[in-house]
Amino acid sequence: MDSQHWRATITAAQSGDRRALDELVAGWLPLVYNIVGRALNGHADVDDVVQETMLRAVDNLGSLRDPDSFRSWLVAIAMRQIRDRARRRTADRLEEAAAADFAELTVLRLQLEGQRREVAEAVRWLDDEDRQLLSLWWLEVAGELTRRELAAAVGITRQHAAVRVQRMKERLETSRGIVRALDGACPDLRELTGRWNGRPDSVWRKRLARHIRGCRYCGDTRESVVPAERLLVGIALVPLPVGFTLSLAFGGKTAVAAGSAGWSAKLLGAFTKPAVAMTAGATIVAGGAYVVTQPPDAPPPRAAVTPTATAASEPPPSATPSPTPTPSPPATKKADLYGTVVDAVDRAPDPDARPAALPRRPESGITSTGGPKAVMQHRGDSVTLSGQGYVLVRWQISPHARPGAVVMPTWTGLKGKLFHVASGGWRRMDDPLPGAPNGYVTGMGGPDIGYAVLPPGTQQMWQNEYFYVDGTVTLTQNERGCDYGIAVSPSSWQAVDKDVNEGPAQGAIRYGLVRDTGTDSAPVPQYVTRSTPADPARVPQRSRV
């Protein structure tokens, strides 16, 4: 919407127009959420800081003399709340309260790939002050803020802002080099990071930067590095997460403070009445609660486009919905039936529930470049499987060594067909471990050691996962966050059938799960492609081959 519309909307909201205020909050909330989320990198305090920012903006809206300065005024409020929050908390307490990683959220929700993804992940390596500045600079180069607004929000001159931004960009480029190197397979870097706990900080940023400067392997950039500002131009805002709630129900403190402004009393009265304003899947409901909603089977939400006072942003990239199970393709496309059943997230079967019968497929034998048992414990380890038969992938997750997000292994260079036929090993990885107190400790971690976290929509793996290969495919270990290892070995129908049907030696707690239908409509694994990408970790999650 143009600046004239927002000027009128702000003026109407100042006069107590409930609908105008609803529109104002809904329209500008994504901008505030992106600034705070990126400045705090998804810390657990993000929701509180966003809420306090919007409360202060609404409560002080009557003091805004020039509607054209609303955006810079709102951004300045957000930055003050971010700085106030930093003063209230110590570094140790910030570490304890860490929540969702905003860098990962940016990658997932905007479907960033290549060097754009690299920039988003590099943000983790910046110090708090640089992240706060980057949260504004990112929006400046994306067309959401002006340099004048950035400088005003930080409280410095435009000339000083230029110097600060340049220094921050230099550290961001150093961080991009670290992300690139950690994605590689340098043996010296692997040895160096053996003592690293996986949490980015300034000390390790300097150590890794020194290694990269002196390492021919890590310093060998095989593709031209595009400046960050060129990568960020036109990127949409990260949409509000489903379930995000912003409560604007005012209490006595706010109402008393509003007594000095006649418009606020009228505004508060309007907010206590039922109101609904739909915008990009979000709802403002009775009492002023802003809740982001999404239908159960809806595709990922499009990125929200925040209104600007100058010009509209480029349209956000549209998310490609996951293919639906067993569609009905045209008769001339019968071969496309293979791979159209996606191995979607399922719930664990009931304890002691017997699995379905396991169909038997032809077995001429599987050869593996890793021998009888390939143990892959480091990022970049891979094994190529060829032939016709069953394969076991056995999981070992180690959140006690390094918890965090799991970057899943990927199947690349597929020639032929690949199916996910069964899950076994007597347990899912999220089942409680034997003897664990209150069932809180599982193969995915626990409250004392942290948890291994799967990407949204990823199938929960079992201890043993079985696949059927008819052709050739390469499996690559892509560990980056949580520490994990996988052992890959050729298997047989008899071994799979025995595993899923026997259950644990101490009596069946959980039998296996048969996924194979015996036809081309059987599930294919997630993270599989016929291409051979330079970086296997970038393979999309959806399964369609």
Side-chain angles (χ1 to χ4, degrees), residues 125-185:
W125 289 92
L126 297 180
D127 296 332
D128 290 347
E129 188 173 292
D130 279 338
R131 267 204 306 270
Q132 292 174 21
L133 182 59
L134 179 133
S135 72
L136 300 175
W137 178 74
W138 184 300
L139 295 173
E140 178 193 355
V141 296
E144 300 289 348
L145 295 178
T146 65
R147 175 55 61 89
R148 179 182 61 82
E149 291 168 334
L150 181 151
V154 181
I156 57 180
T157 65
R158 293 181 64 180
Q159 291 77 8
H160 190 192
V163 175
R164 289 272 307 277
V165 167
Q166 183 58 37
R167 291 173 179 169
M168 179 273 297
K169 286 168 57 179
E170 291 172 359
R171 285 186 281 267
L172 179 64
E173 289 304 318
T174 298
S175 301
R176 290 179 65 187
I178 292 173
V179 171
R180 201 176 307 121
L182 290 175
D183 279 345

Short mmCIF file of all heavy atoms in Angstrom, two decimals, residues 125-185:
data_model
loop_
_atom_site.label_atom_id
_atom_site.label_comp_id
_atom_site.label_asym_id
_atom_site.label_seq_id
_atom_site.Cartn_x
_atom_site.Cartn_y
_atom_site.Cartn_z
N TRP A 125 27.33 -16.03 13.83
CA TRP A 125 28.69 -15.79 14.29
C TRP A 125 28.94 -14.33 14.69
O TRP A 125 30.05 -14.00 15.11
CB TRP A 125 29.68 -16.20 13.20
CG TRP A 125 29.76 -17.68 13.03
CD1 TRP A 125 29.03 -18.46 12.16
CD2 TRP A 125 30.58 -18.58 13.76
NE1 TRP A 125 29.35 -19.77 12.32
CE2 TRP A 125 30.30 -19.88 13.29
CE3 TRP A 125 31.53 -18.41 14.76
CZ2 TRP A 125 30.95 -21.01 13.80
CZ3 TRP A 125 32.17 -19.53 15.27
CH2 TRP A 125 31.88 -20.81 14.79
N LEU A 126 27.95 -13.48 14.54
CA LEU A 126 28.12 -12.07 14.89
C LEU A 126 27.86 -11.84 16.37
O LEU A 126 27.05 -12.54 16.99
CB LEU A 126 27.18 -11.21 14.06
CG LEU A 126 27.39 -11.22 12.54
CD1 LEU A 126 26.37 -10.31 11.86
CD2 LEU A 126 28.81 -10.81 12.17
N ASP A 127 28.50 -10.83 16.92
CA ASP A 127 28.24 -10.43 18.30
C ASP A 127 26.89 -9.72 18.37
O ASP A 127 26.33 -9.31 17.35
CB ASP A 127 29.34 -9.49 18.80
CG ASP A 127 30.70 -10.19 18.85
OD1 ASP A 127 30.71 -11.43 19.03
OD2 ASP A 127 31.73 -9.51 18.69
N ASP A 128 26.39 -9.55 19.60
CA ASP A 128 25.06 -8.95 19.78
C ASP A 128 24.94 -7.59 19.11
O ASP A 128 23.94 -7.30 18.44
CB ASP A 128 24.75 -8.81 21.28
CG ASP A 128 24.50 -10.16 21.94
OD1 ASP A 128 24.33 -11.15 21.21
OD2 ASP A 128 24.48 -10.21 23.18
N GLU A 129 25.93 -6.74 19.29
CA GLU A 129 25.86 -5.39 18.72
C GLU A 129 25.81 -5.42 17.20
O GLU A 129 25.04 -4.68 16.57
CB GLU A 129 27.07 -4.57 19.20
CG GLU A 129 26.98 -3.09 18.82
CD GLU A 129 28.10 -2.30 19.45
OE1 GLU A 129 28.10 -2.15 20.69
OE2 GLU A 129 28.99 -1.84 18.70
N ASP A 130 26.62 -6.29 16.60
CA ASP A 130 26.59 -6.42 15.13
C ASP A 130 25.26 -6.99 14.66
O ASP A 130 24.74 -6.59 13.61
CB ASP A 130 27.73 -7.33 14.66
CG ASP A 130 29.05 -6.58 14.57
OD1 ASP A 130 29.02 -5.35 14.46
OD2 ASP A 130 30.11 -7.24 14.61
N ARG A 131 24.70 -7.95 15.40
CA ARG A 131 23.40 -8.53 15.00
C ARG A 131 22.30 -7.48 15.05
O ARG A 131 21.40 -7.48 14.21
CB ARG A 131 23.04 -9.72 15.89
CG ARG A 131 23.49 -11.05 15.33
CD ARG A 131 22.65 -12.19 15.88
NE ARG A 131 22.64 -12.20 17.33
CZ ARG A 131 23.51 -12.85 18.09
NH1 ARG A 131 24.49 -13.51 17.53
NH2 ARG A 131 23.40 -12.81 19.41
N GLN A 132 22.35 -6.60 16.05
CA GLN A 132 21.35 -5.55 16.13
C GLN A 132 21.43 -4.63 14.92
O GLN A 132 20.41 -4.27 14.32
CB GLN A 132 21.53 -4.75 17.42
CG GLN A 132 21.21 -5.53 18.68
CD GLN A 132 21.53 -4.75 19.94
OE1 GLN A 132 21.62 -3.53 19.91
NE2 GLN A 132 21.70 -5.46 21.06
N LEU A 133 22.65 -4.25 14.55
CA LEU A 133 22.82 -3.40 13.39
C LEU A 133 22.43 -4.13 12.11
O LEU A 133 21.78 -3.57 11.22
CB LEU A 133 24.27 -2.92 13.31
CG LEU A 133 24.60 -1.96 12.16
CD1 LEU A 133 23.76 -0.70 12.26
CD2 LEU A 133 26.09 -1.62 12.17
N LEU A 134 22.82 -5.41 12.02
CA LEU A 134 22.48 -6.19 10.83
C LEU A 134 20.97 -6.35 10.66
O LEU A 134 20.47 -6.39 9.54
CB LEU A 134 23.16 -7.56 10.88
CG LEU A 134 22.84 -8.46 9.67
CD1 LEU A 134 24.11 -9.08 9.11
CD2 LEU A 134 21.85 -9.56 10.04
N SER A 135 20.24 -6.42 11.79
CA SER A 135 18.79 -6.58 11.69
C SER A 135 18.16 -5.39 10.96
O SER A 135 17.12 -5.54 10.30
CB SER A 135 18.18 -6.73 13.08
OG SER A 135 18.21 -5.51 13.80
N LEU A 136 18.80 -4.22 11.06
CA LEU A 136 18.32 -3.04 10.35
C LEU A 136 18.91 -2.97 8.94
O LEU A 136 18.20 -2.66 7.98
CB LEU A 136 18.71 -1.78 11.12
CG LEU A 136 18.15 -1.67 12.55
CD1 LEU A 136 18.70 -0.45 13.24
CD2 LEU A 136 16.62 -1.62 12.52
N TRP A 137 20.21 -3.26 8.81
CA TRP A 137 20.85 -3.19 7.50
C TRP A 137 20.25 -4.20 6.52
O TRP A 137 20.07 -3.91 5.34
CB TRP A 137 22.35 -3.42 7.66
CG TRP A 137 23.10 -3.41 6.36
CD1 TRP A 137 23.40 -2.32 5.59
CD2 TRP A 137 23.63 -4.54 5.67
NE1 TRP A 137 24.09 -2.70 4.47
CE2 TRP A 137 24.24 -4.06 4.49
CE3 TRP A 137 23.64 -5.90 5.93
CZ2 TRP A 137 24.86 -4.91 3.59
CZ3 TRP A 137 24.27 -6.74 5.03
CH2 TRP A 137 24.87 -6.25 3.87
N TRP A 138 19.95 -5.39 7.02
CA TRP A 138 19.31 -6.42 6.19
C TRP A 138 18.03 -5.85 5.58
O TRP A 138 17.77 -6.03 4.39
CB TRP A 138 19.00 -7.64 7.06
CG TRP A 138 18.41 -8.83 6.37
CD1 TRP A 138 17.24 -8.88 5.67
CD2 TRP A 138 18.96 -10.16 6.31
NE1 TRP A 138 17.01 -10.15 5.19
CE2 TRP A 138 18.05 -10.96 5.57
CE3 TRP A 138 20.09 -10.75 6.84
CZ2 TRP A 138 18.26 -12.31 5.35
CZ3 TRP A 138 20.31 -12.11 6.60
CH2 TRP A 138 19.41 -12.86 5.87
N LEU A 139 17.23 -5.17 6.40
CA LEU A 139 15.98 -4.61 5.91
C LEU A 139 16.22 -3.40 5.01
O LEU A 139 15.42 -3.11 4.11
CB LEU A 139 15.08 -4.22 7.08
CG LEU A 139 14.61 -5.40 7.93
CD1 LEU A 139 13.87 -4.92 9.16
CD2 LEU A 139 13.72 -6.33 7.11
N GLU A 140 17.33 -2.69 5.22
CA GLU A 140 17.66 -1.57 4.34
C GLU A 140 17.94 -2.06 2.92
O GLU A 140 17.38 -1.55 1.95
CB GLU A 140 18.87 -0.81 4.88
CG GLU A 140 19.29 0.35 3.98
CD GLU A 140 20.66 0.90 4.32
OE1 GLU A 140 21.26 0.45 5.31
OE2 GLU A 140 21.14 1.78 3.57
N VAL A 141 18.81 -3.07 2.79
CA VAL A 141 19.14 -3.55 1.45
C VAL A 141 18.00 -4.32 0.82
O VAL A 141 17.93 -4.48 -0.40
CB VAL A 141 20.42 -4.41 1.48
CG1 VAL A 141 21.61 -3.59 1.91
CG2 VAL A 141 20.26 -5.63 2.36
N ALA A 142 17.07 -4.82 1.66
CA ALA A 142 15.89 -5.51 1.13
C ALA A 142 14.80 -4.52 0.73
O ALA A 142 13.75 -4.92 0.22
CB ALA A 142 15.34 -6.49 2.17
N GLY A 143 15.03 -3.22 0.97
CA GLY A 143 14.07 -2.21 0.55
C GLY A 143 13.00 -1.89 1.56
O GLY A 143 12.03 -1.19 1.24
N GLU A 144 13.17 -2.34 2.81
CA GLU A 144 12.15 -2.11 3.83
C GLU A 144 12.43 -0.88 4.68
O GLU A 144 11.54 -0.33 5.31
CB GLU A 144 12.03 -3.33 4.74
CG GLU A 144 11.65 -4.61 4.04
CD GLU A 144 10.20 -4.63 3.57
OE1 GLU A 144 9.44 -3.74 3.99
OE2 GLU A 144 9.85 -5.52 2.79
N LEU A 145 13.72 -0.45 4.75
CA LEU A 145 14.11 0.72 5.54
C LEU A 145 15.02 1.60 4.70
O LEU A 145 15.63 1.14 3.72
CB LEU A 145 14.85 0.31 6.83
CG LEU A 145 14.09 -0.46 7.90
CD1 LEU A 145 15.04 -0.79 9.04
CD2 LEU A 145 12.89 0.31 8.41
N THR A 146 15.15 2.86 5.08
CA THR A 146 16.11 3.76 4.46
C THR A 146 17.32 3.91 5.38
O THR A 146 17.26 3.60 6.57
CB THR A 146 15.49 5.14 4.22
OG1 THR A 146 15.19 5.75 5.48
CG2 THR A 146 14.20 5.02 3.40
N ARG A 147 18.44 4.41 4.85
CA ARG A 147 19.62 4.64 5.67
C ARG A 147 19.33 5.69 6.74
O ARG A 147 19.83 5.60 7.86
CB ARG A 147 20.80 5.08 4.78
CG ARG A 147 22.07 5.46 5.54
CD ARG A 147 22.57 4.34 6.47
NE ARG A 147 22.91 3.12 5.80
CZ ARG A 147 24.11 2.82 5.30
NH1 ARG A 147 25.10 3.69 5.38
NH2 ARG A 147 24.32 1.64 4.73
N ARG A 148 18.51 6.69 6.42
CA ARG A 148 18.15 7.69 7.43
C ARG A 148 17.42 7.03 8.59
O ARG A 148 17.69 7.33 9.76
CB ARG A 148 17.25 8.76 6.79
CG ARG A 148 16.79 9.84 7.78
CD ARG A 148 15.88 10.84 7.10
NE ARG A 148 14.67 10.20 6.57
CZ ARG A 148 13.61 9.92 7.32
NH1 ARG A 148 13.60 10.20 8.62
NH2 ARG A 148 12.54 9.36 6.78
N GLU A 149 16.50 6.08 8.29
CA GLU A 149 15.77 5.39 9.35
C GLU A 149 16.68 4.48 10.16
O GLU A 149 16.54 4.34 11.38
CB GLU A 149 14.61 4.60 8.75
CG GLU A 149 13.51 5.50 8.20
CD GLU A 149 12.50 4.73 7.35
OE1 GLU A 149 12.87 3.69 6.78
OE2 GLU A 149 11.35 5.19 7.25
N LEU A 150 17.64 3.84 9.48
CA LEU A 150 18.60 2.99 10.19
C LEU A 150 19.40 3.82 11.18
O LEU A 150 19.56 3.44 12.35
CB LEU A 150 19.52 2.31 9.18
CG LEU A 150 20.59 1.36 9.73
CD1 LEU A 150 20.91 0.28 8.70
CD2 LEU A 150 21.89 2.10 10.08
N ALA A 151 19.93 4.96 10.73
CA ALA A 151 20.74 5.80 11.60
C ALA A 151 19.92 6.32 12.77
O ALA A 151 20.39 6.35 13.92
CB ALA A 151 21.33 6.97 10.80
N ALA A 152 18.69 6.73 12.50
CA ALA A 152 17.84 7.25 13.57
C ALA A 152 17.54 6.18 14.60
O ALA A 152 17.50 6.45 15.81
CB ALA A 152 16.54 7.80 12.97
N ALA A 153 17.31 4.95 14.16
CA ALA A 153 16.99 3.86 15.08
C ALA A 153 18.17 3.54 15.99
O ALA A 153 17.99 3.20 17.17
CB ALA A 153 16.58 2.63 14.30
N VAL A 154 19.40 3.66 15.47
CA VAL A 154 20.58 3.37 16.26
C VAL A 154 20.99 4.58 17.11
O VAL A 154 21.71 4.45 18.09
CB VAL A 154 21.75 2.93 15.34
CG1 VAL A 154 23.00 2.60 16.14
CG2 VAL A 154 21.33 1.71 14.52
N GLY A 155 20.51 5.76 16.70
CA GLY A 155 20.83 6.97 17.45
C GLY A 155 22.16 7.57 17.09
O GLY A 155 22.85 8.14 17.94
N ILE A 156 22.57 7.46 15.82
CA ILE A 156 23.84 8.02 15.36
C ILE A 156 23.61 8.76 14.05
O ILE A 156 22.53 8.69 13.45
CB ILE A 156 24.90 6.91 15.15
CG1 ILE A 156 24.38 5.85 14.16
CG2 ILE A 156 25.27 6.26 16.48
CD1 ILE A 156 25.37 4.72 13.89
N THR A 157 24.63 9.49 13.59
CA THR A 157 24.51 10.22 12.32
C THR A 157 24.62 9.24 11.15
O THR A 157 25.10 8.11 11.31
CB THR A 157 25.63 11.26 12.19
OG1 THR A 157 26.90 10.58 12.12
CG2 THR A 157 25.62 12.22 13.38
N ARG A 158 24.22 9.69 9.98
CA ARG A 158 24.31 8.83 8.80
C ARG A 158 25.77 8.51 8.48
O ARG A 158 26.08 7.41 8.02
CB ARG A 158 23.63 9.51 7.61
CG ARG A 158 22.12 9.65 7.75
CD ARG A 158 21.49 10.29 6.55
NE ARG A 158 21.65 9.48 5.36
CZ ARG A 158 21.18 9.84 4.15
NH1 ARG A 158 20.53 10.98 4.01
NH2 ARG A 158 21.36 9.07 3.11
N GLN A 159 26.67 9.49 8.71
CA GLN A 159 28.08 9.23 8.43
C GLN A 159 28.63 8.15 9.38
O GLN A 159 29.36 7.25 8.95
CB GLN A 159 28.89 10.53 8.61
CG GLN A 159 28.61 11.59 7.55
CD GLN A 159 27.30 12.33 7.78
OE1 GLN A 159 26.64 12.17 8.82
NE2 GLN A 159 26.91 13.15 6.81
N HIS A 160 28.28 8.25 10.66
CA HIS A 160 28.72 7.23 11.62
C HIS A 160 28.09 5.89 11.29
O HIS A 160 28.73 4.83 11.43
CB HIS A 160 28.35 7.67 13.03
CG HIS A 160 28.97 6.81 14.09
ND1 HIS A 160 28.58 6.87 15.42
CD2 HIS A 160 29.93 5.85 14.03
CE1 HIS A 160 29.29 5.99 16.11
NE2 HIS A 160 30.11 5.36 15.30
N ALA A 161 26.83 5.91 10.85
CA ALA A 161 26.15 4.67 10.47
C ALA A 161 26.88 3.98 9.33
O ALA A 161 26.99 2.75 9.31
CB ALA A 161 24.70 4.95 10.09
N ALA A 162 27.38 4.76 8.38
CA ALA A 162 28.11 4.17 7.25
C ALA A 162 29.35 3.43 7.73
O ALA A 162 29.67 2.34 7.24
CB ALA A 162 28.48 5.26 6.25
N VAL A 163 30.06 4.02 8.70
CA VAL A 163 31.26 3.38 9.24
C VAL A 163 30.90 2.10 9.99
O VAL A 163 31.53 1.05 9.82
CB VAL A 163 32.01 4.35 10.17
CG1 VAL A 163 33.19 3.64 10.84
CG2 VAL A 163 32.50 5.56 9.38
N ARG A 164 29.86 2.18 10.83
CA ARG A 164 29.43 1.02 11.61
C ARG A 164 28.98 -0.12 10.70
O ARG A 164 29.29 -1.29 10.94
CB ARG A 164 28.28 1.42 12.54
CG ARG A 164 28.66 2.31 13.72
CD ARG A 164 29.08 1.48 14.92
NE ARG A 164 28.09 0.49 15.27
CZ ARG A 164 27.01 0.72 16.03
NH1 ARG A 164 26.80 1.94 16.53
NH2 ARG A 164 26.16 -0.25 16.31
N VAL A 165 28.23 0.22 9.67
CA VAL A 165 27.74 -0.81 8.75
C VAL A 165 28.91 -1.47 8.02
O VAL A 165 28.93 -2.70 7.84
CB VAL A 165 26.74 -0.20 7.73
CG1 VAL A 165 26.49 -1.17 6.58
CG2 VAL A 165 25.43 0.13 8.41
N GLN A 166 29.90 -0.68 7.60
CA GLN A 166 31.04 -1.25 6.89
C GLN A 166 31.81 -2.23 7.76
O GLN A 166 32.20 -3.30 7.31
CB GLN A 166 31.97 -0.12 6.41
CG GLN A 166 33.14 -0.61 5.59
CD GLN A 166 32.72 -1.38 4.34
OE1 GLN A 166 31.72 -1.05 3.71
NE2 GLN A 166 33.47 -2.42 3.99
N ARG A 167 32.01 -1.89 9.04
CA ARG A 167 32.71 -2.80 9.94
C ARG A 167 31.91 -4.08 10.18
O ARG A 167 32.46 -5.17 10.25
CB ARG A 167 32.98 -2.09 11.27
CG ARG A 167 34.01 -0.98 11.17
CD ARG A 167 34.11 -0.20 12.47
NE ARG A 167 35.12 0.86 12.39
CZ ARG A 167 35.27 1.82 13.29
NH1 ARG A 167 34.49 1.84 14.37
NH2 ARG A 167 36.20 2.74 13.14
N MET A 168 30.59 -3.92 10.32
CA MET A 168 29.74 -5.09 10.51
C MET A 168 29.79 -6.00 9.28
O MET A 168 29.85 -7.22 9.39
CB MET A 168 28.31 -4.64 10.79
CG MET A 168 27.29 -5.76 10.98
SD MET A 168 26.57 -6.34 9.43
CE MET A 168 25.72 -4.86 8.88
N LYS A 169 29.79 -5.41 8.08
CA LYS A 169 29.84 -6.19 6.85
C LYS A 169 31.14 -6.98 6.76
O LYS A 169 31.15 -8.12 6.28
CB LYS A 169 29.67 -5.28 5.64
CG LYS A 169 28.25 -4.77 5.42
CD LYS A 169 28.20 -3.65 4.41
CE LYS A 169 28.78 -4.04 3.07
NZ LYS A 169 28.69 -2.93 2.10
N GLU A 170 32.24 -6.37 7.21
CA GLU A 170 33.52 -7.09 7.18
C GLU A 170 33.47 -8.33 8.07
O GLU A 170 33.96 -9.40 7.70
CB GLU A 170 34.64 -6.14 7.64
CG GLU A 170 34.94 -5.03 6.65
CD GLU A 170 35.90 -3.99 7.20
OE1 GLU A 170 36.33 -4.15 8.39
OE2 GLU A 170 36.24 -3.04 6.48
N ARG A 171 32.88 -8.19 9.26
CA ARG A 171 32.76 -9.35 10.15
C ARG A 171 31.77 -10.36 9.58
O ARG A 171 31.92 -11.57 9.78
CB ARG A 171 32.37 -8.90 11.55
CG ARG A 171 33.52 -8.27 12.31
CD ARG A 171 33.17 -7.95 13.74
NE ARG A 171 32.39 -6.73 13.84
CZ ARG A 171 32.90 -5.52 14.05
NH1 ARG A 171 34.20 -5.36 14.15
NH2 ARG A 171 32.11 -4.47 14.16
N LEU A 172 30.74 -9.89 8.87
CA LEU A 172 29.78 -10.80 8.24
C LEU A 172 30.47 -11.61 7.15
O LEU A 172 30.22 -12.82 7.02
CB LEU A 172 28.61 -10.00 7.65
CG LEU A 172 27.53 -10.82 6.94
CD1 LEU A 172 26.82 -11.75 7.92
CD2 LEU A 172 26.52 -9.90 6.25
N GLU A 173 31.35 -10.97 6.36
CA GLU A 173 32.06 -11.70 5.31
C GLU A 173 32.99 -12.73 5.91
O GLU A 173 33.14 -13.84 5.39
CB GLU A 173 32.83 -10.72 4.43
CG GLU A 173 31.94 -9.86 3.54
CD GLU A 173 31.02 -10.67 2.65
OE1 GLU A 173 31.47 -11.70 2.09
OE2 GLU A 173 29.83 -10.31 2.54
N THR A 174 33.63 -12.39 7.03
CA THR A 174 34.47 -13.38 7.73
C THR A 174 33.62 -14.56 8.17
O THR A 174 34.03 -15.73 8.02
CB THR A 174 35.13 -12.73 8.96
OG1 THR A 174 35.99 -11.68 8.54
CG2 THR A 174 35.94 -13.77 9.74
N SER A 175 32.43 -14.27 8.68
CA SER A 175 31.53 -15.33 9.14
C SER A 175 31.04 -16.18 7.97
O SER A 175 30.86 -17.39 8.12
CB SER A 175 30.34 -14.71 9.88
OG SER A 175 30.78 -13.96 10.99
N ARG A 176 30.83 -15.57 6.82
CA ARG A 176 30.43 -16.35 5.63
C ARG A 176 31.53 -17.34 5.26
O ARG A 176 31.26 -18.49 4.90
CB ARG A 176 30.16 -15.42 4.45
CG ARG A 176 28.90 -14.59 4.57
CD ARG A 176 28.73 -13.68 3.36
NE ARG A 176 28.50 -14.46 2.14
CZ ARG A 176 28.45 -13.91 0.91
NH1 ARG A 176 28.65 -12.61 0.76
NH2 ARG A 176 28.21 -14.66 -0.13
N GLY A 177 32.79 -16.90 5.37
CA GLY A 177 33.90 -17.80 5.09
C GLY A 177 33.93 -18.98 6.05
O GLY A 177 34.25 -20.11 5.66
N ILE A 178 33.56 -18.73 7.32
CA ILE A 178 33.52 -19.81 8.30
C ILE A 178 32.43 -20.81 7.94
O ILE A 178 32.64 -22.03 7.99
CB ILE A 178 33.30 -19.23 9.71
CG1 ILE A 178 34.53 -18.44 10.15
CG2 ILE A 178 32.99 -20.34 10.71
CD1 ILE A 178 34.35 -17.68 11.44
N VAL A 179 31.25 -20.31 7.60
CA VAL A 179 30.15 -21.20 7.20
C VAL A 179 30.56 -22.05 6.01
O VAL A 179 30.31 -23.26 5.96
CB VAL A 179 28.89 -20.38 6.88
CG1 VAL A 179 27.81 -21.27 6.26
CG2 VAL A 179 28.35 -19.70 8.13
N ARG A 180 31.22 -21.42 5.04
CA ARG A 180 31.65 -22.13 3.83
C ARG A 180 32.68 -23.21 4.19
O ARG A 180 32.62 -24.34 3.68
CB ARG A 180 32.23 -21.12 2.85
CG ARG A 180 32.27 -21.57 1.39
CD ARG A 180 32.77 -20.44 0.50
NE ARG A 180 32.00 -19.23 0.70
CZ ARG A 180 32.53 -18.06 1.09
NH1 ARG A 180 33.83 -17.97 1.31
NH2 ARG A 180 31.77 -17.00 1.24
N ALA A 181 33.61 -22.87 5.07
CA ALA A 181 34.65 -23.83 5.44
C ALA A 181 34.08 -25.00 6.23
O ALA A 181 34.47 -26.15 6.03
CB ALA A 181 35.73 -23.12 6.26
N LEU A 182 33.14 -24.73 7.13
CA LEU A 182 32.55 -25.80 7.94
C LEU A 182 31.72 -26.75 7.07
O LEU A 182 31.48 -27.90 7.46
CB LEU A 182 31.67 -25.21 9.05
CG LEU A 182 32.43 -24.49 10.17
CD1 LEU A 182 31.45 -23.85 11.15
CD2 LEU A 182 33.35 -25.47 10.91
N ASP A 183 31.27 -26.26 5.92
CA ASP A 183 30.54 -27.13 5.00
C ASP A 183 31.49 -28.00 4.17
O ASP A 183 31.06 -28.90 3.46
CB ASP A 183 29.68 -26.29 4.04
CG ASP A 183 28.37 -25.87 4.69
OD1 ASP A 183 28.02 -26.45 5.73
OD2 ASP A 183 27.70 -24.98 4.15
N GLY A 184 32.79 -27.69 4.23
CA GLY A 184 33.76 -28.44 3.46
C GLY A 184 34.25 -29.67 4.19
O GLY A 184 33.66 -30.12 5.17
N ALA A 185 35.36 -30.20 3.73
CA ALA A 185 35.87 -31.45 4.30
C ALA A 185 37.36 -31.34 4.63
O ALA A 185 38.10 -32.30 4.49
CB ALA A 185 35.62 -32.60 3.33
#
